[in-house]
């Protein structure tokens, strides 16, 4: 019976998806980079293991679909908050069908499914930052105003503010939540501008944790029973300076997770899972 | 700040004094109480109860007492009053009071009694003193009125001190006090006044829809101000933490408006619709900080309605959760074997789209609340509701600079901008330097960011000026309530008459919390009315039950449309975030300039005003009478208050019911002046068009200037109704528009500052000088200001008129007829200024202050005037700035004919301007204008929320042979949104004319409709 907006970071389930072989060649990317499929799969396996074994989440692993090279980035296919799951309409046409399996999985979890029927709307889950008190939706190449409106309609309890994403693929390409009321933000100008906008738009106060590297700003926060604050973040190999910043978080259980390969495809840590909190009272 | 500090010190002094004699004073008060109680049997029981229960009342009385006490104290300071004398005084008062005073006084007394016991010693002492003092004070007031401004200052100071003392308690009280004083204006002649008053008192039955859907009816004196009714309701509800609440009414456009506690009800509501509803006005961000469960309960009732109606959107789960708490609060634990729970639950509305699924969920959740008390359930309800993003957000529909539909949400934290359901921008109160509106534009001036050098101004377009003003007022109130420790100092508010300066008159949240912490009464028992509600809904009773209300969007008062539509399909989409328009500082600067000017004049004006204020009584009483006459207009849409300026006041009086109305008129006149010029031009145009028929039967047209008053009077009333599209009307009404349209408010500034800045600009300005907009207009106006005094006006008019006229020509008002033209025009203009105010408020209160100003400073008046207007009564309404100039108007308000005449003379200069115009228009009139004696003119502008109605009345008396003919020409300019019902307006106008002048015949009706000219878009 937790009330409204209680338990930010509480998760019981995670939905992930396998990496198709097509990822290496066909997955969308903003930078031309060679992706080592094997390394990517290894990374992803490690990632899933952290969720399942280390953190004890119930992980639903969807099979990869060769026709959907980007399907590993499940975050973009759905936005889940509370008992409601909004099935998105990804901005990249090639990714639209990724939502099918996601919808199925969420339905199986007894979530209230909301779908986007409007063909003018696009929304990538990567552009949606949920702070625990409100949503920020990045207006990016992948997400438009209409998509944000639909999200606002799906989650009526919360304020939904739009933030222009001038650089980077998604809003969460340079920011994420590092804890309740703590926004982890990259240090680039576009990132800082976006943060200012968010701060201006919000009725709530947020602390910020600025990391030198924008990509390092994407991390995964959870608040788990018996573990407290948990933060999955980049490794020292990737962003040593940023890791130093994370290490200042004394109250957090810090778990570095390598993401060297997927990042080449603009895939960040949050991109690879959809986290769900299925409360006991939900059926 | 300085003012506050000083006041505090003063307050301390008073407190000390009071402290010195606390015991005695208490005794005295008790004695008085006893006496009163005996007299008022009904209230007797209250003694104890009153202390506790009628918290609201207590504040009022205290204040009054304080005021009185203050007055005494100040003098007393040297020779502190002894207890005995005070007690004696009180006794005397007691005896006299009941008999003398009308209801209002009785009520006051009661309140005082109640309050006294409750309050701390200080209060009591003050109150006692005050009671004693009352008479003295009134005298002072009288004196002040007549006396020089300096004296007034002193008195005002005292008052201020008193007010400040009360700080904690309320400005409201002050307002009331003012009002009361106003009622008693005559108070100067206290006893006589009361006596006189009694017979005239008319009582009206007010129907207030409470939050539980029940209907509360009570009788209220027709001239009572909003606060009186509000307190009545709170008393009925046994509500102490009342500052979060307010009364709403529907304006002529069926839009919800907050009843201004400081203004007469009659002047705010549409004619004869005394229907109100009690609503939460300020949603406490943290309901758990409320002191009493009953307050939370009422808040819950409001929120249930908000949720059920969809005004407060929430998710399925939240609907279910809130619904379950509602069930728990109203029905307690769910009984395991409860029969047909679903049927039962279906009778209640929890959500706009309530499904079986939701009801099942509600019941399921309800089970989990077992053991929760109603109060606990309410708390849980509120804890969840307060987190909703739209909690406490008051939405207003608007367009951004690019014409994209958006919503502006006013809340505790600032101003939110929504496009559909998306928040696209947010301006926290600390970021906002100034809030202003002009015509249908609403502006906020934003504090420059770290990297920015200049302040920026963001402009929004509202549907019409009414909407803009309403939004502005809501912003001012919310900012004051949530961001200020204390409302802006009353002194400034009172005395500064910059345009219409609406200010929040109640307690701030900080103050109400303080006051709440002092609540010391056992938790009142109250009945949760769910059962009632259900039965009613079944009965189909007309009363709106909360549940039912929820479905009925309108009831809430919120425009259903305003609510964010989740679907958003219908709405247009804006590109990104552009809601903002950065303007060069031009606009702002202009406003500022005006303000500056105003400030300069303020000092002098303030003095005048103070004196005026003290005099207060005059304005309120007058209006009421006036209104009675005027109110005839059934059509709610147009309230036409006619301010008639009588050039030859005395003479015309005969004809003149219209003229009599003048009390208000004076004020209007001042405003009118500037506008008038404009009008004149318009008139001329109109005449050209042939629309305007000036000539009426009476030969008067060219008429003899001399009035042979007694001979037969024939009056012809010409009613010209001009309806313009929203925009256009502004121009035509220019005077009105100006005052109403523009207002500024500086949130950040201390109270004082804010007052000054709030000036409202009139529409006229726009029309006249689209480019110049507010500022220019204002300055000019002052010159023109010549209030409506007819005779003199004609002469002076020539000078100013030209300049103003040209711009104003644009205005379409031109409707005015020849005779009236000259004089009338000026008047009309004034009226135009008032329009915003006029509707209810403007006339009385505003006018007077302005008049005074005029006398002293005519030229500068404009800027000042606006400020002045606002202050007097109606903080809420923004008065036209221009009007201020014509201080004399105020005098007029007093009701004394003599004063009126005087005023007229003063006004004359203004008139001159107009005269020119007149000249242009009609040859006939010219003669009249010159011929002073023959023409009486009155111009009133009434602005209802929806419409601006300017009524100009020209009375021409002609002596022919032995016969005198009186011709009355009324030009009514209605500026409204597209939705104006022309036919209705015309019908009303005719009806009113007949009612007002039963002995006259309507000889000619000319209706000229004008659609909007393309408005310049600011």
């Amino acid at each position: 019976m937790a009330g409204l907006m209680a338990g930010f970071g509480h998760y019981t389930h995670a939905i992930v998806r396998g990496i198709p072989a097509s990822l290496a060649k066909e997955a969308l990317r903003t930078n031309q980079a060679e992706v080592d499929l094997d390394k990517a799969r290894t990374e992803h396996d490690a990632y899933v293991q952290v969720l399942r074994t280390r953190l004890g989440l119930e992980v639903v692993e969807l099979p990869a679909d060769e026709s959907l090279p980007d399907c590993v980035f499940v975050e973009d296919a759905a936005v889940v908050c509370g008992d409601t799951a909004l099935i998105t309409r990804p901005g990249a046409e090639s990714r639209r069908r990724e939502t099918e399996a996601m919808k199925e999985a969420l339905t199986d979890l007894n979530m209230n499914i909301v779908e986007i029927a409007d063909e003018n709307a696009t929304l990538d889950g990567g552009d949606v930052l949920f702070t625990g008190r409100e949503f920020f939706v990045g207006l990016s190449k992948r997400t438009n105003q209409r998509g944000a409106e639909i999200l606002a309609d799906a989650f009526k309890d919360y304020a939904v503010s739009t933030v222009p994403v001038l650089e980077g693929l998604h809003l969460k390409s340079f920011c994420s939540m590092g804890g309740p009321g703590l926004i982890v933000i990259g240090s680039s100008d576009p990132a800082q501008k976006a943060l200012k906008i968010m701060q201006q738009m919000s009725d709530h106060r947020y602390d910020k944790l600025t990391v030198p590297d924008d990509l390092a700003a994407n991390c995964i926060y959870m608040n788990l029973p018996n573990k407290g604050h948990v933060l999955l973040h980049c490794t020292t190999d990737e962003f040593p300076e940023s890791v130093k910043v994370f290490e200042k978080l004394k109250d957090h259980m810090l778990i570095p997770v390598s993401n060297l390969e997927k990042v080449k495809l603009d895939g960040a840590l949050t991109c690879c899972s959809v986290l769900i909190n299925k409360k006991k009272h939900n059926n | 700040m300085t003012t506050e500090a000083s006041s505090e010190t003063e307050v301390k002094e008073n407190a000390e004094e009071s402290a010195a004699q606390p015991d005695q004073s208490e005794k005295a008060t008790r004695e008085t109480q006893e006496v009163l109680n005996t007299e008022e049997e009904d209230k007797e029981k209250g003694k104890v109860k009153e202390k506790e229960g009628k918290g609201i009342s207590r504040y009022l009385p205290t204040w009054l007492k304080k005021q009185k006490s203050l007055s005494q104290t100040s003098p007393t300071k040297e020779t502190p009053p002894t207890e005995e004398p005070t007690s004696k005084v009180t006794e005397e008062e007691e005896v006299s009071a009941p008999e003398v005073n009308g209801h209002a006084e009785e009520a006051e007394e009661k309140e005082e009694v109640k309050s006294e016991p409750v309050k701390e010693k200080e209060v009591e002492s003050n109150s006692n003193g005050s009671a004693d003092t009352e008479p003295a004070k009134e005298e002072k007031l009288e004196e002040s009125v007549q006396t020089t401004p300096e004296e007034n200052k002193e008195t005002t100071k005292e008052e201020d001190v008193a007010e400040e003392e009360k700080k904690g308690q309320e400005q409201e009280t002050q307002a009331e006090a003012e009002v009361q004083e106003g009622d008693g204006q005559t108070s100067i002649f206290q006893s006589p006044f009361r006596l006189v008053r009694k017979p005239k008192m008319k009582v009206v039955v007010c129907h207030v829809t409470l939050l539980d859907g029940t209907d509360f009816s009570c009788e209220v004196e027709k001239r009572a101000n909003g606060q009186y009714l509000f307190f009545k309701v709170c008393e009925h509800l046994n509500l102490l933490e009342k500052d979060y609440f307010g009364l709403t009414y529907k304006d002529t456009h069926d839009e919800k408006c907050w009843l201004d506690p400081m203004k007469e009800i009659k002047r705010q509501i549409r004619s004869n619709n005394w229907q109100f509803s009690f609503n939460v006005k300020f949603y406490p961000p943290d309901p758990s900080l409320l002191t009493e469960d009953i307050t939370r309960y009422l808040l819950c009732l409001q929120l249930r309605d908000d949720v059920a109606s969809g005004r407060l959107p929430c998710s399925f789960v939240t609907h279910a959760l809130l619904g379950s708490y509602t069930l728990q609060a109203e029905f307690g634990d769910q009984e395991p074997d409860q029969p047909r729970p679903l049927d039962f639950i279906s009778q209640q509305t929890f959500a706009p789209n309530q499904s079986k699924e939701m009801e099942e969920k509600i019941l399921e959740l309800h089970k989990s609340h077992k053991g929760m008390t109603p109060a606990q359930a309410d708390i849980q309800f509120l804890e969840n509701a307060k987190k909703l993003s739209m909690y406490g957000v008051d939405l207003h529909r608007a367009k951004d600079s690019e014409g994209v539909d958006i919503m502006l949400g006013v809340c505790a934290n600032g101003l939110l901008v929504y496009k559909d359901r998306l928040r696209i921008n947010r301006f926290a109160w600390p970021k906002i330097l100034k809030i202003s509106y002009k015509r249908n534009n609403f502006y906020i001036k934003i504090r420059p960011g770290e990297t920015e050098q200049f302040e920026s101004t963001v402009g929004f377009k509202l549907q019409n000026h009414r909407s803009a003003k309403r939004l502005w007022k809501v912003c001012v109130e919310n900012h004051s309530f949530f961001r200020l420790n204390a409302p802006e100092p009353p002194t400034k508010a009172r005395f500064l008459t910059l345009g219409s300066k609406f200010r929040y008159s109640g307690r701030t949240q900080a103050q109400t919390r303080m006051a709440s912490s002092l609540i010391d009464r056992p938790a009142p028992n109250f009945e949760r009315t769910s059962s009632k509600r259900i039965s009613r809904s079944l009965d189909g009773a007309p009363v709106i039950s909360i549940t039912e209300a929820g479905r009925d969007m309108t009831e809430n008062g919120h425009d259903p449309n305003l609510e964010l539509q989740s679907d958003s399909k219908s709405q247009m989409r804006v590109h990104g975030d552009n809601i903002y328009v950065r303007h060069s500082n031009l606009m702002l600067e202009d406003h500022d300039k005006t303000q500056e000017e105003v400030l300069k004049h303020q000092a002098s004006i303030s003095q005048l005003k103070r004196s005026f204020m003290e005099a207060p009584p005059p304005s309120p009483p007058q209006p009421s009478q006036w209104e009675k006459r005027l109110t005839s207009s059934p059509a709610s849409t147009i309230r036409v208050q006619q301010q008639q300026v009588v050039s030859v006041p005395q003479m015309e009086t005969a004809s003149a019911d219209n003229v009599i109305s003048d009390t208000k008129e004076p004020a209007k006149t001042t405003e009118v002046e500037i506008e008038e010029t404009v009008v004149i031009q318009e008139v001329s145009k109109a005449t050209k068009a042939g629309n305007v028929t000036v000539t009426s039967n009476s030969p008067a047209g060219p008429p003899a200037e001399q009035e042979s008053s007694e001979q037969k009077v024939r009056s012809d009333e010409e009613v010209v109704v001009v309806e313009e599209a929203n925009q256009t009307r502004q121009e035509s009404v220019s005077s009105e528009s100006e005052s109403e349209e523009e207002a500024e408010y500086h949130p950040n500034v201390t109270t004082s500052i804010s007052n000054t800045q709030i000036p409202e600009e009139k529409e006229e300005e726009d029309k006249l000088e689209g480019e110049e907009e507010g500022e220019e207009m204002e300055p000019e106006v002052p010159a023109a200001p010549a209030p409506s005094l007819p005779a003199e006006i004609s002469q002076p008019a020539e000078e100013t008129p030209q300049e103003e006229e040209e711009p104003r020509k644009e205005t379409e008002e031109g409707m005015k007829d020849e005779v009236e033209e000259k004089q009338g025009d000026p008047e009309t203009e004034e009226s135009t200024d008032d329009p915003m105010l006029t509707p209810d408020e403007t006339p009385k209160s505003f006018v007077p202050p302005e008049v005074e100003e005029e006398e002293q400073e005519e030229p500068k008046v404009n800027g000042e005037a606006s400020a002045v207007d606002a202050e007097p009564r109606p903080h809420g309404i923004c008065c036209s700035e221009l009007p201020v100039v014509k201080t004399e108007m105020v005098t007029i308000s007093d009701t004394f004919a003599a004063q009126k005449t005087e005023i007229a003379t003063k006004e004359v200069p203004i008139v001159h301007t107009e005269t020119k115009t007149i000249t242009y228009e009609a040859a006939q009139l010219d003669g009249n204008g010159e011929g002073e004696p023959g023409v009486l003119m009155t111009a009133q502008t009434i602005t209802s929320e929806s419409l601006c109605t300017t009524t100009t009345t020209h009375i021409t008396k002609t002596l022919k042979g032995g016969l005198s003919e009186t011709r009355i020409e009324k030009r009514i300019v209605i500026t409204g949104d597209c939705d104006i019902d022309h036919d209705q307006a015309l019908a009303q106008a005719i009806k009113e004319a007949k009612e007002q002048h039963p002995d006259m015949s309507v000889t000619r009706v000319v209706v000229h409709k004008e659609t909007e000219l393309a408005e310049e878009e600011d």
Side-chain angles (χ1 to χ4, degrees), chain B residues 497-602:
Chain B
T497 31
L498 296 181
S500 51
K501 308 241 156 153
F502 169 83
R503 287 299 146 69
Y504 175 61
S505 56
R507 286 191 289 203
T508 65
Q509 180 174 237
Q511 289 174 324
T512 196
R513 282 180 178 168
M514 280 291 296
S516 300
S517 67
L518 299 178
I519 293 177
D520 181 21
R521 66 170 181 182
N525 292 323
F526 57 94
E527 183 182 358
R528 290 169 199 269
T529 53
S530 60
S531 54
K532 294 180 186 174
R533 219 182 299 153
I534 293 173
S535 60
R536 281 183 196 156
S537 58
L538 294 177
D539 297 343
V543 180
I544 303 166
S545 60
I546 296 173
T547 34
E548 293 175 347
R551 297 178 181 176
D552 188 349
M553 303 295 291
T554 50
E555 289 182 359
N556 296 337
H558 294 294
D559 208 335
N561 298 334
L562 294 182
E563 299 179 359
L564 295 180
Q565 298 176 351
S566 53
D567 297 350
S568 71
K569 297 175 182 176
S570 59
Q571 298 185 350
M572 309 194 28
R573 290 174 194 169
V574 181
H575 312 301
D577 338 45
N578 291 340
I579 299 175
Y580 262 118
V581 179
R582 280 202 179 176
H583 298 269
S584 54
N585 293 332
L586 294 179
M587 294 291 298
L588 297 176
E589 291 178 359
D590 292 349
H591 293 283
D592 294 349
K593 291 178 181 179
T594 48
Q595 295 176 351
E596 293 178 358
E597 293 179 357
V598 174
L599 292 176
K600 293 178 182 178
H601 299 287
Q602 285 179 349

Side-chain angles (χ1 to χ4, degrees), chain A residues 1 3-5 83 118 133-134 145-146 148-149 152-153 155-162 164 196 199-203 281, chain B residues 313-315 317-318 321 364-365 368 384 387-389 413 419-426 450 566-569 573-574 577:
Chain A
M1 278 337 316
L4 194 52
M5 302 180 196
D83 298 337
D118 189 332
R133 296 303 305 270
E134 63 190 317
Q145 181 96 5
R146 182 63 185 137
E149 288 171 10
D153 200 28
F155 303 102
K156 291 193 179 73
D157 292 348
Y158 301 96
V160 178
S161 305
T162 54
K196 279 191 177 176
Q199 287 173 329
Q200 180 193 327
M201 301 279 266
S202 175
D203 295 325
H281 71 269
Chain B
C314 53
S315 65
V317 175
T318 304
L321 184 61
E364 175 191 332
L365 293 173
S368 65
N384 284 281
K387 294 176 185 170
L388 296 170
S389 72
N413 295 322
K419 161 102 180 38
D420 294 329
R421 264 194 44 83
L422 294 177
R423 182 183 293 182
I424 53 178
N425 215 330
R426 173 179 176 272
E450 302 169 359
S566 53
D567 297 350
S568 71
K569 297 175 182 176
R573 290 174 194 169
V574 181
D577 338 45

Side-chain angles (χ1 to χ4, degrees), chain B residues 915-931:
Chain B
T915 325
K916 285 185 177 180
T917 357
I918 296 169
T919 321
Y920 291 115
E921 296 175 353
Q924 297 175 349
L925 295 179
D926 295 350
N928 292 340
E930 294 176 358

Side-chain angles (χ1 to χ4, degrees), chain B residues 23-77:
Chain B
D23 297 344
Q24 295 178 354
S25 63
E26 289 182 358
K27 292 179 180 177
T29 53
R30 290 181 182 176
E31 292 179 359
T32 52
Q33 291 178 355
E34 291 179 358
V35 176
L36 294 175
N37 292 338
T38 53
E39 292 179 356
E40 303 169 355
E41 296 177 356
D42 296 348
K43 299 173 182 177
E44 277 188 0
K45 297 179 180 178
K47 248 199 178 178
V48 179
K49 292 180 180 177
E50 286 177 359
K51 282 187 178 180
E52 302 169 351
K54 314 184 177 178
I56 300 168
S57 59
R58 32 160 141 153
Y59 295 106
L60 293 175
T62 19
W63 186 82
L64 295 175
K65 295 176 180 179
K66 287 182 179 179
Q67 251 197 338
K68 298 174 181 179
S69 63
L70 291 176
S71 61
Q72 282 191 346
T73 43
S74 60
T76 336
K77 289 179 180 179

Side-chain angles (χ1 to χ4, degrees), chain B residues 687 692-705 716 718 794 816-823 915 917-932 934-935 937 954-958 960 967 969 971 1004:
Chain B
T687 48
V692 179
T693 37
V694 175
T695 50
S696 37
N697 330 342
S698 52
E705 298 171 354
D716 297 347
E718 294 182 357
S794 59
K816 297 179 180 178
D817 300 343
E818 317 120 321
V819 176
E820 302 167 3
E821 302 163 359
K822 295 178 182 179
Q823 299 172 347
T915 325
T917 357
I918 296 169
T919 321
Y920 291 115
E921 296 175 353
Q924 297 175 349
L925 295 179
D926 295 350
N928 292 340
E930 294 176 358
E932 313 147 345
V935 179
M937 300 169 64
H954 298 274
I955 300 175
T956 305
K957 289 191 176 184
T958 306
K960 289 186 177 180
R967 188 186 86 179
E969 287 189 5
R971 177 169 299 144
R1004 197 168 186 176

